[in-house]
Amino acid sequence: MCVFCKIISGEIPSKKAYEDDSVLAIYDINPQAPVHIVFMPKQHILTSADGINEENCEIIGKIFVAIAKVAKELGLKDGYRIINNCGAAAGQTVAHIHFHLLAGKDGMSEHMI
Ligand code: AMP
Ligand code: ZN
């Protein structure tokens, strides 16, 4: 089981930011910005290049709805970045599709995570 599937199952503890039937969001263990939350589908999907298809793509919209809800709850009025690293060469270290929500001064900088 991948690390995010273990978090979803509760085998690895996490600080949850959001949860519904199909989406989980957790505070990143190694934050790269004042607000750094990782959104993932509860279903194990590798990447957008290798796993997203016509049948399961609705989950991406659900993740973006969840991001908007959390951003509103946290009062992120000055904007934020949503980042998906697709593939190891692009910096993906966990092989379970996820979207980083970054906000705050550092979240607006040029650096990539
Ligand atoms: P990526 O490099 O795009 O694959 O992002 C994976 C992210 O997951 C990194 O920012 C890690 O810090 C984060 N991460 C890895 N393990 C955990 C964990 N157990 N709890 C919270 N965040 C984690
Ligand atoms: Zn997984």
Side-chain angles (χ1 to χ4, degrees), residues 15-77:
K15 186 178 172 196
K16 288 178 189 173
Y18 176 87
E19 183 171 21
D20 65 27
D21 288 350
S22 53
V23 178
L24 177 68
I26 60 167
Y27 283 88
D28 199 289
I29 203 167
N30 182 24
Q32 302 298 308
V35 176
H36 186 174
I37 298 171
V38 177
F39 290 74
M40 65 193 76
K42 287 188 172 176
Q43 181 191 357
H44 181 81
I45 297 170
L46 283 176
T47 68
S48 55
D50 187 7
I52 290 292
N53 55 48
E54 296 286 349
E55 281 68 48
N56 65 16
C57 62
E58 197 183 343
I59 189 62
I60 303 302
K62 289 182 176 177
I63 287 171
F64 272 67
V65 170
I67 291 171
K69 279 183 188 166
V70 171
K72 196 171 181 186
E73 275 171 24
L74 296 179
L76 306 181
K77 293 189 178 69

Side-chain angles (χ1 to χ4, degrees), residues 83-102:
I83 294 178
N84 167 243
N85 294 326
C86 181
Q92 183 175 4
T93 59
V94 178
H96 181 131
I97 195 168
H98 54 277
F99 294 81
H100 299 262
L101 166 62
L102 296 163

